[in-house]
Amino acid sequence: KKQKIDLDQFYTPFTICQYLIDEFKKGKKIIDPACGTGDLIKNYDGDITLWDISKDVLELCKENYELANKPATFCCINSLKEYSKDNGTYDYCCLNPPFGSSTVITDSEILKHYKLGKTKQEIGTLFIERAINLLKKGGIASIIVPNGYLGNSIKNIVELREYLLQYR
């Protein structure tokens, strides 16, 4: 519970996970660059790649997939810092990134690589841009976003909406 509060981590209900997966064609390449325990795409029938910044969480994810006898590629990586790794590689990117005021990036060495990077930016917003960068041309990103988030009139959110409209 402490980790959820400190890192703004909230796990996606299995019914939502299954709904998202049912919308994807089988046998394609999919990634979750903020995978947590990996449940979001565990039921996908295709080439699965899972990244997480936490070794401990990634170990739980691996155990989760082993118990389900589900093959996947796992990588302990700071997805935002490794801004160019695997860009243009995946058919699908599916994630539930951390959103919230306690998860803000101020590191200029990370922010300078993102169009949405300013002097500071919420991790969730950067993950949206990262998801789009991971996709092949014509790829699809499915991102769990907090209720009302994209309807907000805060300047950064308006810029995010304008950015997203370029990729519809």
Side-chain angles (χ1 to χ4, degrees):
K1 184 174 178 180
K2 180 173 179 7
Q3 190 174 32
K4 287 183 183 181
I5 293 168
D6 291 347
L7 299 177
D8 288 326
Q9 292 180 338
F10 299 94
Y11 296 95
T12 310
F14 291 113
T15 52
I16 302 298
C17 299
Q18 193 60 50
Y19 172 78
L20 293 173
I21 296 310
D22 287 346
E23 296 301 309
F24 299 144
K25 292 180 182 174
K26 295 179 181 180
K28 302 286 186 172
K29 291 181 77 169
I30 190 169
I31 186 169
D32 182 343
C35 71
T37 57
D39 290 326
L40 192 58
I41 59 175
K42 186 170 74 176
N43 291 330
Y44 181 67
D45 185 12
D47 184 350
I48 298 173
T49 300
L50 299 152
W51 293 349
D52 202 274
I53 194 170
S54 168
K55 273 186 183 178
D56 294 336
V57 171
L58 199 60
E59 283 303 315
L60 287 172
C61 181
K62 286 179 186 178
E63 289 176 21
N64 188 11
Y65 275 66
E66 286 172 10
L67 287 170
N69 197 27
K70 190 74 176 176
T73 302
F74 305 91
C75 187
C76 186
I77 182 174
N78 180 334
S79 304
L80 297 176
K81 194 171 190 176
E82 300 292 331
Y83 64 92
S84 63
K85 180 177 174 45
D86 288 358
N87 282 352
T89 301
Y90 298 93
D91 300 292
Y92 305 115
C93 182
C94 195
L95 73 153
N96 181 358
F99 283 93
S101 58
S102 66
T103 53
V104 174
I105 299 280
T106 58
D107 183 343
S108 62
E109 288 303 307
I110 293 174
L111 293 170
K112 72 181 182 182
H113 299 288
Y114 292 88
K115 291 178 184 175
L116 297 170
K118 307 293 181 215
T119 56
K120 67 178 183 175
Q121 186 59 268
E122 284 187 29
I123 288 176
T125 298
L126 294 178
F127 265 114
I128 291 172
E129 183 174 340
R130 184 70 175 108
I132 291 169
N133 291 338
L134 287 164
L135 295 172
K136 294 177 180 177
K137 185 174 175 76
I140 298 171
S142 290
I143 304 165
I144 307 295
V145 179
N147 188 27
Y149 190 81
L150 291 174
N152 199 314
S153 62
I154 298 172
K155 183 179 181 205
N156 285 348
I157 304 305
V158 171
E159 291 171 354
L160 173 60
R161 283 195 308 261
E162 290 170 357
Y163 174 80
L164 288 172
L165 287 172
Q166 297 174 41
Y167 298 97
R168 60 186 167 119

